Amino acid sequence: MSTIAATDRTQIHRIPARGSYDRDVVHAILDEALVCHVGFVHQGAPFVIPTICVRIGERLFVHGAAASRMLGTISDHALCVTVTLMDGIVLARSAFHHSMNYRSVVILGRGTDVTGREEKLAVLEALVEKIAPGRSRDVRGPNEKELRATRVISLAIDEASAKIREGGPVDDEEDMGLDVWAGHVPVALTARAPIRNGAENGRIPPVLARFSVPPEKTNS
Amino acid sequence: MSTIAATDRTQIHRIPARGSYDRDVVHAILDEALVCHVGFVHQGAPFVIPTICVRIGERLFVHGAAASRMLGTISDHALCVTVTLMDGIVLARSAFHHSMNYRSVVILGRGTDVTGREEKLAVLEALVEKIAPGRSRDVRGPNEKELRATRVISLAIDEASAKIREGGPVDDEEDMGLDVWAGHVPVALTARAPIRNGAENGRIPPVLARFSVPPEKTNS
């Protein structure tokens, strides 16, 4: 097990048993997440913007329009990227012990512009492959104009921690006899039937490896 | 339609047609979200922490342990709360035009401690009611010790904007003839079979109004 060294800033204080610094745990959460929340400071105030992310090795990458205000602000500045997967709703016997099941990762660091052409292409391919494995072979790849219009920022996964809550409620002993249903309701992001764009255009690719995708709707 | 005045900080620059300042739109996104991401600045660096949130009127509330480092840091300080609902994966004919469907809200402001006993109780009840309508009548309510151990922070929804992407890919005209499936795959957070905690303890409450919850598992 490879672990990430905890720092004053990533040490889990609230319920430390829920924290993890295991790289495999951190990576698995990052790889399952479609979206991350990027936090940065602009003119002294905090901003949090959602965007898709992809991990390659020990770095996390985000991308966007070259003219993006956010990307301009996080390049070579302090940032915090947080990923949260919702896993369940925890219904306890007291209001106080209601909770959520989740897996989250917080990464602290500095954004670095990815300027090399090959690395940039590799990140853009990884972004497509993340949501649709194999798809980068089938679609038209980025042209020079698109490459120039796209900015990629990377963040090292050096200062990071995961936090996980799972299972049912933890009720007080004196509440265990109350006549109320208690337990947890798992939740998960699931795919619905794909909706084709335009006319007949080939077979649905093996998208969304982790999803069970229902059959395509036939109304087009 | 009641609108929120855009400021320099909440003006949508990238694809402004996707922005909305309609209060009803902002409220609906906040009300559907189980979790928000709270951004704040601590010792000059940005931090982003996920937590459950609830809206009452024109304010958004978060809560946690009174000893929480985050809550101590956001009380009477600048913060940014962002909520993101994932709605779909957009598969275009070119790598460049791949996208996500989502609804997000960004709120900027200052955190205010909720210290009044009645308001605090109302927020804690609203949090339980959000995930399980009617449940606050059935469970044991907060006692004095629990109230003291819980801190509630509120944020006015004064400076805020929503951003929404929906529908299929927008491909370049010259790519429309490519032999590749294109369209979008809707995704949604869905509930799975509830898992009971401990012995027989009553009926499953009408939880999760917006979810279709499958029957309880009978293995306990």
Side-chain angles (χ1 to χ4, degrees), chain B residues 19-199:
Chain B
S20 173
Y21 303 90
D22 181 340
R23 284 194 186 276
D24 292 342
V25 171
V26 168
H27 290 178
I29 295 170
L30 295 174
D31 293 351
E32 185 173 331
L34 292 175
V35 72
C36 68
H37 283 78
V38 180
F40 56 93
V41 182
H42 182 59
Q43 298 177 342
F47 288 83
V48 179
I49 303 293
T51 190
I52 189 172
C53 60
V54 69
R55 179 186 67 87
I56 301 176
E58 298 300 331
R59 301 192 79 86
L60 191 76
F61 297 86
V62 297
H63 81 310
S68 153
R69 194 166 47 153
M70 173 186 76
L71 295 181
T73 305
I74 67 176
S75 170
D76 202 28
H77 282 79
L79 70 161
C80 173
V81 175
T82 298
V83 154
T84 307
L85 304 170
M86 297 306 305
D87 288 336
I89 291 164
V90 181
L91 301 167
R93 293 161 182 87
S94 64
F96 184 74
H97 285 297
H98 278 64
S99 190
M100 308 290 292
N101 285 333
Y102 62 89
R103 287 165 290 152
S104 65
V105 163
V106 173
I107 311 172
L108 303 171
R110 287 183 87 80
T112 303
D113 253 294
V114 173
T115 53
R117 179 190 158 81
E118 291 311 309
E119 190 184 5
K120 208 166 162 182
L121 281 168
V123 171
L124 298 178
E125 181 175 315
L127 281 161
V128 169
E129 289 292 307
K130 180 176 185 176
I131 59 168
R135 188 166 176 83
S136 63
R137 287 193 306 269
D138 299 333
V139 298
R140 176 178 66 71
N143 59 35
E144 295 307 314
K145 185 182 162 200
E146 290 168 347
L147 270 182
R148 279 195 304 275
T150 305
R151 188 166 184 174
V152 174
I153 303 280
S154 102
L155 172 65
I157 308 172
D158 285 338
E159 189 175 5
S161 61
K163 199 168 182 186
I164 298 171
R165 192 211 185 279
E166 54 192 352
V170 181
D171 273 302
D172 293 337
E173 192 55 42
E174 55 266 38
D175 293 330
M176 291 303 286
L178 293 177
D179 184 27
V180 57
W181 191 92
H184 64 287
V185 182
V187 300
L189 200 63
T190 53
R192 294 178 176 167
I195 298 167
R196 183 175 294 231
N197 176 254

Side-chain angles (χ1 to χ4, degrees), chain A residues 37 46 48 80 82 84 89 92-93 95 98 135 140 175 180-184 186-188 190 192 195 197 201 203 208, chain B residues 37 46 48 80 82 84 89 92-93 95 98 135 140 175 180-182 184 186-188 190 192 195 197 201 203 208:
Chain A
H37 282 79
V48 179
C80 173
T82 298
T84 307
I89 291 164
R93 294 163 181 86
H98 278 64
R135 188 166 175 84
R140 177 178 65 70
D175 293 330
V180 56
W181 190 93
H184 63 287
V187 300
T190 53
R192 293 181 176 165
I195 298 167
N197 174 255
N201 56 11
R203 289 204 190 162
L208 312 171
Chain B
H37 283 78
V48 179
C80 173
T82 298
T84 307
I89 291 164
R93 293 161 182 87
H98 278 64
R135 188 166 176 83
R140 176 178 66 71
D175 293 330
V180 57
W181 191 92
H184 64 287
V187 300
T190 53
R192 294 178 176 167
I195 298 167
N197 176 254
N201 56 13
R203 290 206 190 162
L208 311 171

Side-chain angles (χ1 to χ4, degrees), chain A residues 32-70:
Chain A
E32 186 172 329
L34 291 176
V35 72
C36 68
H37 282 79
V38 179
F40 56 93
V41 183
H42 182 59
Q43 297 176 343
F47 288 82
V48 179
I49 304 293
T51 190
I52 188 172
C53 60
V54 68
R55 179 186 68 86
I56 302 176
E58 297 301 331
R59 301 192 78 86
L60 192 76
F61 297 86
V62 297
H63 82 309
S68 152
R69 194 167 48 154
M70 172 187 75

Side-chain angles (χ1 to χ4, degrees), chain A residues 64-78:
Chain A
S68 152
R69 194 167 48 154
M70 172 187 75
L71 296 181
T73 305
I74 67 178
S75 170
D76 202 29
H77 282 79

